[in-house]
């Protein structure tokens, strides 16, 4: 792993942790909103807007992490019966298509972020500007494009395909949720 | 062939080629959706969609229920609930012939009430129940079949992530969909228990019997699960009574499991952090295909493909139930190559208008289609639950697990037939909601 890849790895770890914290805040805000409503007959101002905007940031950052860890949902039916070299080639192809789409997405979303900033759009109750949240979400898509570019360049320069040892689905985390599976 | 038809056929062909070439489903659907929309309308509006639609989807508050229900399941798994559920059901019914397999199914049903993932249910119960059944010398087929089939309860018994996705795609009330899954879920559990009973009655293999647990043992074993099961009643009751929205219910459920786990010292900061990370990762990949599916929806609207497919299907004059049978058979076949989530996001936007034109209730159809998709989780060649079981129990061949699952598949088909014949069984609870 070269220095640049190490930096990407550290950024992804930070993004992963931040997205997790955002989810904790969203859950906490939801819990508080309900408790305040039924126990104290009160409301938590801005919880709805802040919750949904943080959700957007967490999801877009999570998309970058999932791209880095190759956890986006794919159809393996053909891939799993192909020789390993062809599997590697297909992985690169899929990364290139994904990278192209992420670049277009990042460009168009950037225009949207700028439009939101110009319009001065704010949240309903607390009057918080929306564009910084959109900008933070945009960073997730930009990171997606960067991690895909790094992976494609890694294969282009080293000629080494990054392939798993076994083509069967594996429970990849201790909680038992395979990537993206319902 | 008209221009819209040409674009539609080309779009579908490209989509399936991209999927086969292992392009992520969200990317493939989004690419075809935006490209097709550009060909039908103009490039400018299509690119504007790319800037607008994904952030609108990701900041939709009603979708926050997906990460929060996933977090609830993840926290429940981490706090060892599966083992406690298994111990409790084992104490109550483990002494019967095939009791350990029955206890596994009952525990799966209990776990499904907290966790909306079939695969997670199967994975966690494999770790808990399989060693026990092996220790007692249960046949591999019965042991693995009961776990793989029991795992499918996760997709149907609320909260169900797949039912929520169906609700989002079809703009149906997710709360009603969850409540509609209750009776079919209980039916599934009961029929699976009957399957185990029939298996031990007709099997030539010996299935050992355990000693009867005393009442003290039963009460002691149930001590660990009552709080979480009460939480399920509270959460689902809240949705049923109109006290919470489904998103609020998800937040209350996740916070409730967290509090119970902390009070019982089953969770620490490290575990909670791991659960949060896992939940957001799984949610992000689900949202990603949802974003792709919604972009694909613009292409479908522009080409009017669903209406044309509806007209073509209705012209076969098979009648409503004949056409429904055709759709379900198509989903069963599709289950041989696609996983549950992929099938729902790909096919629901296309098939849904047909179902509406046939006059079927959309809530009932959601439950029926999720049950059909659920069959794909345990039937070859892409039986995800079976693969997960196999990856955790390498010594049992896939073929033997698939053989063990077959009696449960037959029971699933029977349940499907009953619910198609009597939609009221699905609809009476959601129809009585406030």
């Amino acid at each position: 792993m070269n220095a640049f890849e190490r930096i990407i790895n550290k950024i992804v770890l930070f993004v992963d942790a931040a997205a997790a914290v955002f989810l904790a805040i969203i859950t906490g805000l939801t819990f508080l909103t309900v408790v305040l409503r039924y126990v104290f007959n009160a409301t938590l101002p801005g919880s709805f807007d802040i919750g949904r905007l943080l959700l957007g940031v967490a999801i877009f950052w999570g998309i970058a992490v999932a791209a880095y860890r190759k956890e986006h949902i794919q159809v393996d039916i053909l891939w799993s019966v192909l020789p390993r070299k062809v599997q590697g080639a297909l992985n690169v192809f899929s990364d290139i298509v994904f990278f192209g789409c992420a670049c277009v997405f990042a460009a168009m979303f950037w225009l949207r972020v700028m439009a939101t900033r110009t319009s001065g759009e704010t949240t309903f109750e607390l009057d918080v500007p929306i564009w910084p949240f959109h900008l933070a979400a945009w960073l997730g898509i930009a990171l997606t494009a960067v991690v895909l570019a790094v992976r494609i360049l890694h294969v282009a320069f080293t000629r080494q395909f990054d392939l798993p040892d076994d083509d069967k689905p594996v429970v990849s985390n201790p909680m038992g949720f395979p990537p993206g599976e319902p | 062939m008209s221009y819209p038809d040409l674009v539609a056929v080309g779009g579908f062909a490209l989509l399936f080629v991209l999927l086969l070439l292992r392009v992520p489903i969200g990317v493939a659907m989004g690419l075809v959706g935006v490209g097709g929309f550009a060909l039908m309308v103009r490039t400018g509006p299509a690119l504007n969609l790319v800037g607008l639609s994904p952030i609108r989807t990701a900041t939709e508050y009603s979708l926050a229920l997906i990460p929060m229900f996933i977090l609830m399941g993840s926290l429940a798994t981490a706090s060892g609930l599966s083992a406690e559920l298994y111990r409790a059901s084992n104490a109550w019914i483990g002494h019967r012939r095939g009791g350990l397999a029955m206890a596994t199914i009952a525990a799966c049903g209990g776990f499904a009430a907290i966790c909306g993932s079939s695969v997670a249910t199967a994975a966690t119960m494999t770790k808990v129940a399989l060693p026990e059944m092996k220790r007692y010398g249960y046949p591999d087929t019965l042991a693995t079949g009961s776990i793989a089939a029991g795992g499918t309860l996760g997709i149907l018994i609320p909260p169900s992530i797949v039912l929520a996705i169906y609700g989002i795609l079809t703009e149906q009330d997710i709360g009603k969909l969850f409540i509609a899954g209750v009776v079919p879920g209980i039916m599934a559990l009961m029929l699976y228990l009957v399957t185990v009973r029939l298996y031990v009655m007709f099997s030539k293999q010996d299935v050992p019997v355990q000693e009867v647990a005393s009442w003290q043992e039963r009460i002691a074993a149930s001590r660990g699960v009552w709080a979480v099961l009460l939480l399920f009643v509270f959460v689902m009751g809240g949705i049923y009574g109109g006290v919470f929205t489904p998103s609020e219910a998800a937040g209350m459920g996740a916070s409730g499991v967290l509090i119970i786990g902390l009070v019982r010292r089953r969770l620490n900061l490290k575990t909670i952090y791991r659960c949060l990370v896992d939940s957001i990762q799984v949610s992000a990949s689900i949202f990603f295909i949802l974003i792709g599916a919604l972009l694909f929806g613009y292409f479908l609207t522009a080409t009017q493909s669903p209406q044309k497919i509806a007209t073509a299907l209705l012209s076969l004059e098979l009648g409503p139930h004949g056409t429904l049978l055709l759709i379900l058979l198509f989903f069963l076949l599709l289950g041989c190559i696609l996983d549950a989530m992929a099938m729902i996001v790909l096919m629901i936007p296309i098939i849904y208008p047909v179902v509406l034109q046939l006059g079927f209730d959309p809530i009932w159809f959601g439950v029926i289609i999720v049950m059909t998709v659920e069959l794909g989780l345990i039937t070859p060649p892409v039986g995800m639950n079976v693969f997960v079981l196999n990856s955790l129990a390498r010594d049992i061949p896939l073929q033997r697990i698939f053989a063990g699952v077959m009696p449960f598949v037959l029971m699933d088909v029977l349940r499907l037939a009953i619910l198609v014949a009597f939609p009221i069984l699905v609809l009476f609870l959601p129809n009585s909601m406030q």
Side-chain angles (χ1 to χ4, degrees):
Chain A
M1 194 188 272
N2 63 34
F4 186 63
E5 285 171 341
R6 269 197 296 274
I7 293 170
I8 294 287
N9 193 31
K10 279 189 178 160
I11 293 173
V12 168
L13 278 178
F14 167 76
V15 165
D16 210 9
V21 171
F22 292 160
L23 176 58
I25 295 172
I26 298 160
T27 309
L29 282 177
T30 310
F31 178 76
L32 269 180
T33 305
V34 176
V35 171
L36 283 176
R37 186 169 70 222
Y38 286 109
V39 181
F40 300 101
N41 199 20
T43 57
L44 192 62
S47 64
F48 173 81
D49 275 332
I50 298 297
R52 72 180 186 85
L53 290 168
L54 280 181
L55 175 70
V57 178
I59 292 300
F60 277 31
W61 288 14
I63 286 173
V65 177
Y68 180 75
R69 299 207 174 118
K70 300 180 198 170
E71 287 183 351
H72 282 299
I73 305 170
Q74 295 161 311
V75 177
D76 288 342
I77 189 93
L78 175 67
W79 183 87
S80 59
V81 295
L82 291 172
R84 286 177 66 81
K85 268 195 171 176
V86 185
Q87 285 183 341
L90 273 190
N91 287 353
V92 177
F93 171 78
S94 117
D95 279 347
I96 291 171
V97 174
F98 193 174
F99 172 70
C101 291
C103 286
V104 174
F105 183 15
M108 296 316 297
F109 188 30
W110 175 256
L111 296 178
R112 172 60 44 191
V113 175
M114 290 300 111
T116 314
R117 187 180 174 209
T118 311
S119 71
E121 199 181 332
T122 58
T123 60
F124 183 66
E125 285 173 305
L126 295 181
D127 226 15
V128 177
I130 286 175
W131 74 268
F133 290 95
H134 283 191
L135 180 65
W138 176 84
L139 286 173
I141 300 307
L143 182 62
T144 306
V146 172
V147 297
L148 289 166
V150 169
R151 199 150 68 218
I152 294 163
L153 289 174
H154 177 83
V155 175
F157 284 117
T158 63
R159 305 269 167 197
Q160 281 180 339
F161 293 123
D162 188 14
L163 281 165
D165 296 330
D166 194 336
D167 60 5
K168 278 180 189 145
V170 171
V171 180
S172 64
N173 64 56
M175 300 311 153
F177 285 96
E181 191 55 34
Chain B
M1 196 183 272
S2 67
Y3 180 69
D5 290 348
L6 203 65
V7 173
V9 172
F12 281 113
L14 179 63
L15 176 66
F16 283 101
V17 169
L18 287 174
L19 290 179
L20 284 178
L21 295 180
R22 213 168 177 249
V23 171
I25 295 170
V27 174
M29 292 185 88
L31 183 61
V32 172
V34 174
F37 191 73
L39 288 173
M40 288 301 298
V41 186
R42 269 191 355 263
T43 311
L47 287 174
N48 279 340
L49 277 183
V50 181
L52 193 62
S53 175
I55 187 69
R56 198 186 284 162
T57 308
T59 55
E60 175 65 49
Y61 187 74
S62 61
L63 301 189
L65 71 95
I66 293 176
M68 289 192 286
F69 270 134
I70 290 175
L71 177 63
M72 179 172 158
S74 191
L75 288 168
T77 311
S79 50
L81 179 70
S82 49
E84 288 181 329
L85 277 165
Y86 184 66
R87 207 174 311 132
S89 40
N90 196 8
W92 287 92
I93 54 175
H95 60 278
R96 296 174 185 277
R97 271 198 80 204
L100 284 175
M102 289 181 181
T104 302
I105 286 164
C108 282
F111 194 71
I114 297 294
C115 176
S117 160
S118 277
V119 176
T121 306
T124 191
M125 291 314 298
T126 302
K127 290 175 209 161
V128 173
L130 193 61
E132 198 70 3
M133 284 196 273
K134 276 188 162 181
R135 195 160 67 87
Y136 274 88
Y138 268 54
D140 285 346
T141 45
L142 178 61
T144 54
S146 58
I147 296 173
T152 64
L153 295 170
I155 206 173
L156 190 59
I157 293 181
S160 157
I161 302 298
V162 176
L163 265 180
I165 300 285
Y166 171 88
I168 292 157
L169 292 171
T170 58
E171 297 179 349
Q172 288 301 312
D173 184 335
I174 295 172
K176 279 193 172 184
L177 280 164
F178 280 177
I179 299 301
V182 171
V183 172
I186 294 170
M187 261 181 84
L189 200 149
M190 294 300 175
L191 286 173
Y192 284 166
L193 293 179
V194 171
T195 310
V196 174
R197 189 80 194 145
L198 291 174
Y199 184 100
V200 293
M201 271 171 69
F202 294 108
S203 171
K204 287 170 190 158
Q205 289 167 293
D206 186 38
V207 180
V209 180
Q210 288 189 104
E211 281 179 27
V212 183
S214 67
W215 280 99
Q216 284 95 326
E217 283 169 330
R218 289 178 184 188
I219 290 163
S222 307
R223 217 170 270 157
V225 297
W226 68 268
V228 179
L229 293 182
L230 201 67
L231 182 72
F232 167 76
V233 175
F234 173 68
V235 166
M236 286 305 141
I239 294 179
Y240 180 78
V243 180
F244 316 131
T245 64
S247 291
E248 287 175 344
M252 293 302 284
S255 306
V257 174
L258 176 70
I259 292 166
I260 292 168
L262 286 173
V263 168
R264 302 185 65 214
R265 299 184 183 196
R266 295 295 169 88
L267 293 170
N268 55 37
L269 272 180
K270 197 177 165 192
T271 325
I272 295 165
Y273 172 72
R274 201 59 243 159
C275 291
L276 284 163
V277 167
D278 287 336
S279 304
I280 202 69
Q281 272 177 30
V282 175
S283 307
S285 51
I286 291 175
F287 266 76
F288 192 58
I289 59 170
L290 252 183
I291 288 168
L294 294 172
L295 287 171
F296 188 67
Y298 288 100
F299 158 76
L300 292 178
T301 309
T303 55
Q304 294 192 317
S305 308
Q307 290 83 346
K308 285 170 188 166
I309 291 169
T311 310
L313 275 175
L314 294 172
S315 70
L316 295 174
E317 293 182 356
L318 297 170
H321 283 90
T323 312
L324 178 75
L325 187 65
L326 199 67
I327 292 171
L328 297 184
L329 285 174
F330 178 69
F331 266 78
L332 281 177
L333 284 177
L334 210 59
C336 296
I337 53 168
L338 291 178
D339 67 20
M341 182 69 81
M343 264 195 285
I344 292 285
V345 291
L346 271 174
M347 299 313 299
I348 288 300
I350 301 168
I351 294 297
Y352 184 65
V354 182
V355 175
L356 287 188
Q357 285 201 35
L358 290 170
F360 290 118
D361 186 286
I363 298 284
W364 169 82
F365 180 70
V367 172
I368 294 295
I369 212 66
V370 165
M371 282 169 51
T372 312
V373 160
E374 165 197 304
L375 273 172
L377 289 169
I378 49 172
T379 46
V382 193
M384 196 66 193
N385 278 13
V386 174
F387 282 143
V388 168
L389 226 157
N390 182 243
S391 72
L392 294 168
R394 290 281 186 194
D395 55 321
I396 306 174
L398 267 178
Q399 296 88 323
R400 207 178 297 162
I401 307 177
F402 276 124
V405 154
M406 276 311 137
F408 296 95
V409 171
L410 292 177
M411 212 45 112
D412 274 347
V413 174
L414 173 69
R415 175 167 51 106
L416 198 58
I418 293 171
L419 294 175
V420 167
F422 305 103
I424 191 70
L425 290 172
V426 177
L427 292 173
F428 82 91
L429 269 182
N431 285 348
S432 65
M433 272 172 79
Q434 289 177 21

